[in-house]
Amino acid sequence: MARPLEPNRRRSLSDPLAAALMPPPNESAADRERRLEAESEAKRVSDVIDEMLRAEKKEKKTKPEIKVLILGQSESGKSTTLKQFQLMHATAAFHADRIAWRAVIYLNLVRSIRRILDAVSPESDQPDEAEYQESASGCAISLTNQLSVISATRVAKYPQYRHALEPLRELEERLIRMLSSPNEDEPTHTAPSKPDWSIYANGNSDTQVAIGKNGRPAPFITIPPSRTSSPLSPSTSLPSPGGSSNSSSKSKNVEVSVHHTSNWKKAFSLGNRIKSPKSAHTNEIEGWWDDPSDPVHVLNSCAQAMLALWKDPSVKQRLREKRIRVEEGSGFFLDEISRITALRYFPSDQDVLKARLKTTGVVEHSFSIADSQRRFITWKIYDVGGSRNQRHAWAPYFEDVNAIIFLAPISAFDQVLTEAPEVNRLEDSLLLWKSVVSNKLLAHVSIILFLNKVDLLQAKLKSGVRLSHHMPRYGDRPNDYENVSSYFYNKFGSIHQAFSSNKEREFKIHLTSVTDTRRTATIIQNVRDIIITINLKNIHLM
């Protein structure tokens, strides 16, 4: 039984905090003076902190800042969305960076060709072939349970293609060496102002410029290690173009990725070289096309063979039989072979938007965007890695975020995760969406949902792929774009309605193809205006 408090008992006798703050018994005058000085200093520090908080709050009112987090699974279109923001609000910087994407675009093209060669090689038609294979972008696409080796279409010109395109094997290795990095988490030196392609040829890395501990050059871009493949794994090794199934090429089963701390674009810029005349007696400029070690020369010499391979009806038929749709992957440039392999090829805005380079970590970009009253507001947009092993890094960015743009690639209903081949990509997006909208830390955050890659969805449905074969709950509803897109729109919307931690928050859904600049620009402008309006309302409530 609790002892009742005495009626007139002093608060200091029953309050532990008051008791702790009481002067110690038998305190000397000197001790008392030191104690009072310490208390005075503590109060001064506390007052300074309070004043800093008040000043920060006042600054937010006068100089508002908007933080936007771009979320979604890997290869959902997050980096492309960020590029669209850059193209709209930092156009000059975006255009200045375009030349730096040339090496990435070359690598995207080469890897697509190499994957096609792997897929159509006679050695790939073995009875124990895996149930899943990689797409051109690294995502798994499901195949038929059993491939009929007897009825498989043979590519009669495969030996000629393999021989003619053999230089691409070494070029792929060169590009990966140039885009790869030492095992460093942070840059340790400045990248060269222009690339010296010759130092990456034939595995040669004996140079004094930008070399890491293991002999690889900067910039700091990482290639994830390959893992042991299960029978159903999307990373099952395919035979190399050379015909050997035991290729030591590190390009197998990995995706080149750039760490958020790298300054890789600087390494691939040309500096002032493109403006330099070849000699004092001519106005002709010197460019990368004059460098014999530049990869464009290998690509240019292989262009006709690449075109022949891609246009070969037997190749197209063999890819259909295996249900490999390379055109669905990020970094698809096979329809642009002649333009991209031209000696003086310069990446366009659309090329940069389409280029695939997996970013690890968190990428932050700042923009100054004017509101309706012509006041400039600083926007900070964060692109966070979306693969499963990177999602733990999301939570620290939830604090003070104003809005989330969540991307769900609805064309991926027949694909599986590269890192978890037993998981359907669309089902993973639904679970990820549910976890975001139900997170209490994000209860007052506006959410904009991009149901992305609608162009690929339309093409896939027209080709005869049925949603109900991969998501049985769709049932026997019409397998056309209008009905399928409406189904996804309602499904994601109902998850927000059922599980949202704040059903009254600002919430919008857009059907998007973020590589479509004109359409995406309109959507981003609408999203921008909504976020600015909500942010101004919140500032007035502070």
Side-chain angles (χ1 to χ4, degrees), residues 437-455:
V437 301
S438 61
N439 193 307
K440 293 182 179 179
L441 293 175
L442 303 173
H444 299 289
V445 174
S446 303
I447 295 183
I448 296 94
L449 172 63
F450 283 7
L451 298 179
N452 196 33
K453 303 195 177 182
V454 296
D455 54 333

Side-chain angles (χ1 to χ4, degrees), residues 5-16 18-19 22-23:
L5 292 176
E6 298 176 11
N8 297 319
R9 190 177 187 187
R10 294 199 339 242
R11 175 178 172 83
S12 59
L13 297 178
S14 59
D15 186 349
M22 289 179 64

Side-chain angles (χ1 to χ4, degrees), residues 78-190:
K78 300 188 301 300
S79 295
T80 306
T81 301
L82 179 56
K83 291 177 193 174
Q84 289 283 16
F85 269 97
Q86 290 176 279
L87 183 57
M88 287 182 66
H89 300 293
T91 308
F94 183 90
H95 287 162
D97 285 342
R98 284 189 304 179
I99 190 63
W101 285 90
R102 192 168 60 98
V104 177
I105 293 167
Y106 286 163
L107 182 59
N108 289 164
L109 177 60
V110 169
R111 300 195 88 174
S112 294
I113 291 293
R114 293 264 289 146
R115 284 194 174 100
I116 291 175
L117 283 171
D118 285 344
V120 303
S121 68
E123 291 85 354
S124 71
D125 296 328
Q126 299 301 322
D128 61 346
E129 185 169 356
E131 186 177 354
Y132 293 95
Q133 288 180 337
E134 281 185 313
S135 72
S137 58
C139 291
I141 295 180
S142 62
L143 307 179
T144 50
N145 292 333
Q146 293 182 344
L147 292 174
S148 174
V149 178
I150 297 177
S151 62
T153 299
R154 298 293 180 181
V155 179
K157 294 184 178 180
Y158 173 77
Q160 293 96 303
Y161 292 141
R162 186 183 68 182
H163 176 74
L165 297 172
E166 183 64 24
L168 296 185
R169 178 201 296 274
E170 189 272 336
L171 177 59
E172 182 182 25
E173 296 287 349
R174 280 178 61 196
L175 289 169
I176 290 177
R177 276 195 298 272
M178 185 160 195
L179 289 168
S180 65
S181 69
N183 296 320
E184 306 267 0
D185 290 330
E186 302 290 338
T188 59
H189 42 256
T190 304

Side-chain angles (χ1 to χ4, degrees), residues 4-269:
L5 292 176
E6 298 176 11
N8 297 319
R9 190 177 187 187
R10 294 199 339 242
R11 175 178 172 83
S12 59
L13 297 178
S14 59
D15 186 349
L17 179 59
L21 294 175
M22 289 179 64
N26 303 322
E27 182 181 37
S28 67
D31 290 341
R32 181 175 183 276
E33 184 176 352
R34 283 193 292 270
R35 176 175 58 80
L36 292 176
E37 286 180 358
E39 290 176 356
S40 178
E41 176 62 16
K43 185 178 185 306
R44 187 191 66 80
V45 172
S46 177
D47 291 342
V48 170
I49 294 173
D50 289 342
E51 182 59 32
M52 290 174 61
L53 292 174
R54 283 192 294 269
E56 183 180 355
K57 190 174 182 180
K58 184 178 180 180
E59 185 179 7
K60 282 186 177 181
K61 282 190 174 184
T62 56
K63 295 182 179 180
E65 181 180 272
I66 293 176
K67 295 182 180 179
V68 178
L69 200 57
I70 303 179
L71 300 180
Q73 66 182 198
S74 181
E75 210 168 344
S76 58
K78 300 188 301 300
S79 295
T80 306
T81 301
L82 179 56
K83 291 177 193 174
Q84 289 283 16
F85 269 97
Q86 290 176 279
L87 183 57
M88 287 182 66
H89 300 293
T91 308
F94 183 90
H95 287 162
D97 285 342
R98 284 189 304 179
I99 190 63
W101 285 90
R102 192 168 60 98
V104 177
I105 293 167
Y106 286 163
L107 182 59
N108 289 164
L109 177 60
V110 169
R111 300 195 88 174
S112 294
I113 291 293
R114 293 264 289 146
R115 284 194 174 100
I116 291 175
L117 283 171
D118 285 344
V120 303
S121 68
E123 291 85 354
S124 71
D125 296 328
Q126 299 301 322
D128 61 346
E129 185 169 356
E131 186 177 354
Y132 293 95
Q133 288 180 337
E134 281 185 313
S135 72
S137 58
C139 291
I141 295 180
S142 62
L143 307 179
T144 50
N145 292 333
Q146 293 182 344
L147 292 174
S148 174
V149 178
I150 297 177
S151 62
T153 299
R154 298 293 180 181
V155 179
K157 294 184 178 180
Y158 173 77
Q160 293 96 303
Y161 292 141
R162 186 183 68 182
H163 176 74
L165 297 172
E166 183 64 24
L168 296 185
R169 178 201 296 274
E170 189 272 336
L171 177 59
E172 182 182 25
E173 296 287 349
R174 280 178 61 196
L175 289 169
I176 290 177
R177 276 195 298 272
M178 185 160 195
L179 289 168
S180 65
S181 69
N183 296 320
E184 306 267 0
D185 290 330
E186 302 290 338
T188 59
H189 42 256
T190 304
S193 60
K194 56 185 177 63
D196 182 358
W197 297 99
S198 62
I199 68 174
Y200 307 106
N202 301 319
N204 176 29
S205 58
D206 296 328
T207 176
Q208 301 300 313
V209 184
I211 295 299
K213 294 177 182 177
N214 66 352
R216 291 182 183 175
F220 300 100
I221 298 174
T222 59
I223 301 177
S226 59
R227 53 182 173 79
T228 303
S229 300
S230 67
L232 300 181
S233 171
S235 62
T236 300
S237 296
L238 297 175
S240 71
S244 171
S245 60
N246 297 317
S247 172
S248 61
S249 171
K250 70 171 134 182
S251 67
K252 295 293 183 184
N253 312 321
V254 296
E255 183 176 11
V256 176
S257 58
V258 55
H259 194 271
H260 71 285
T261 57
S262 71
N263 191 18
W264 67 274
K265 291 178 184 177
K266 183 177 180 181
F268 301 131
S269 66

